[in-house]
Structure formats: structure tokens, C-alpha cells
Amino acid sequence: MIGGSGGTPSATNASYYGGDIPFLGISDIKNRDITITAKSITEKGLENSAAWIIPAGSICLAMYASVGKAGINRVSLATSQAFYNMVFEDETLRDFIYTRLEKADTDNEWNPLISTGTQANLNADKVKSFRILLPSSDERRLIAKYFADLDSLITLHQRKYCGVVSWMLGVALVRLSSEK
């Protein structure tokens, strides 16, 4: 695994922003899969900062503000220093680690490691020192597959729910307009 935090190009230089490189912000992590970002940077912005291209399929873990929030980027992107990014060669290991980090977030396991100041945050050393016990490779594969399938099922049901709500609104609007 390769890991490290990102970097932010200077906000005072407009030529660093609005390019073709997706730039991850904490608000872009809505669920497991990160597919789109609100901001983007230019090649010049990348070159003039500590940002680097995080290959698709990596884990991006928030270290500032929403400490412990994680996602898997499905597109190559860059991040600010507010993220610790983990690049894996083994998808099964990545999925297991993601699931474990999700549990750590849910169970507030990051709280003892958080530094407080103007905002709560972690740093790369604290993330690297976080202990994760690994079961055998076969067990990791089964656990990771189970939770990946569960995440997909939840996403599917959320989409179906939104579709049903949209349909119900459409029916209500048709009924209201026919009553006039």
C-alpha cells in the first residue's frame, strides 16, 4: 500500500483551478463510491502544490472537519491535505480496510486520536499508527465481498426509493391538475 496526504494549490491563483483534474472535497464523499467532485484543478495547480494524482480505486480518508469519513474514488483525482489517501494493489485488501475504516468512523474510534484547535483533525502519522488486525486472505475476501454487496444493495434501494417518490409526486401533480 502507498499512502499520503494531498495538497492544495494556492487559492489566490485562479489559473490553478477549473482544469481537467477532479479535486476532492469532503462534501464530495456522499457514500462508498466517489464518482464526481465539485472542484477541479489544472495541471499547473497540481505542479505548484503538494497535490498528486490518486489513482482510481484508492481510499480517501478525511483527516480534517469530518474526521474519519472515507470513500473509494472511482476516477483518478487529486485531494487537499485534508485527506489521507491509500493506494492498494489488492482490491480485496482495499475493500476490507475500507469496511474497517467505516466501522472506526461509526464507532468514534478516531476520537482519542483527534487533535483539537479551531477544528478537530488527524494527521498522517496518527492515521498510519491506527491498528487494523487482518484476518486471513480468504476471510478478508469474504468479508469485503459481503460488505461491498451490502453497500450496492443499499445504494440500489436508495435509487428505487427516489424513483418511487418521483412517481408519487408525478401522480399527485396529475391529480391536482385534473381537479382544476
Side-chain angles (χ1 to χ4, degrees), residues 31-33 148-161:
N31 54 38
R32 175 187 176 98
D33 295 324
D149 289 348
L150 188 60
D151 279 342
S152 294
L153 188 61
I154 290 168
T155 300
L156 175 67
H157 283 285
Q158 287 171 333
R159 287 182 186 150
K160 282 184 179 179
Y161 173 77

Side-chain angles (χ1 to χ4, degrees), residues 92-93 96 135-146:
T92 300
L93 178 59
F96 179 82
S136 72
S137 180
D138 287 340
E139 287 176 307
R140 281 196 313 262
R141 184 179 46 75
L142 290 171
I143 293 167
K145 181 175 178 355
Y146 173 79

Side-chain angles (χ1 to χ4, degrees), residues 26-37:
I26 291 170
S27 62
D28 296 321
I29 301 180
K30 297 185 179 19
N31 54 38
R32 175 187 176 98
D33 295 324
I34 303 164
T35 57
I36 191 166
T37 62

Side-chain angles (χ1 to χ4, degrees), residues 5-9 20-26 28 34 37 39-42 45-47 49-56 60 73 75-81 83 85:
S5 58
T8 303
D20 296 328
I21 302 167
F23 191 66
L24 186 66
I26 291 170
D28 296 321
I34 303 164
T37 62
K39 292 182 181 177
S40 63
I41 61 173
T42 62
L46 185 70
E47 292 166 2
S49 70
W52 51 291
I53 298 295
I54 316 303
C60 302
N73 62 318
V75 294
S76 295
L77 49 74
T79 73
S80 71
Q81 63 277 12
F83 289 94
N85 305 293

Side-chain angles (χ1 to χ4, degrees), residues 1 29-34 57-62 68-74 86 88 90-106 110 130 132 134 140 143-144 147-148 150-152 155:
M1 182 200 76
I29 301 180
K30 297 185 179 19
N31 54 38
R32 175 187 176 98
D33 295 324
I34 303 164
S58 303
I59 296 175
C60 302
L61 174 72
K69 193 173 185 181
I72 298 174
N73 62 318
R74 298 302 177 182
M86 296 165 257
F88 294 86
D90 179 353
E91 274 187 39
T92 300
L93 178 59
R94 183 222 38 220
D95 289 347
F96 179 82
I97 297 294
Y98 172 82
T99 300
R100 181 62 185 91
L101 292 174
E102 214 175 28
K103 181 181 182 331
D105 184 36
T106 301
W110 295 112
F130 187 73
I132 296 178
L134 294 177
R140 281 196 313 262
I143 293 167
F147 283 106
L150 188 60
D151 279 342
S152 294
T155 300

Side-chain angles (χ1 to χ4, degrees), residues 6 22 41 57 98 103-105 113 116-117 127 129 151 162 175 179:
I41 61 173
Y98 172 82
K103 181 181 182 331
D105 184 36
L113 303 174
T116 53
V127 172
S129 71
D151 279 342
C162 289
R175 286 193 71 187
E179 290 177 6

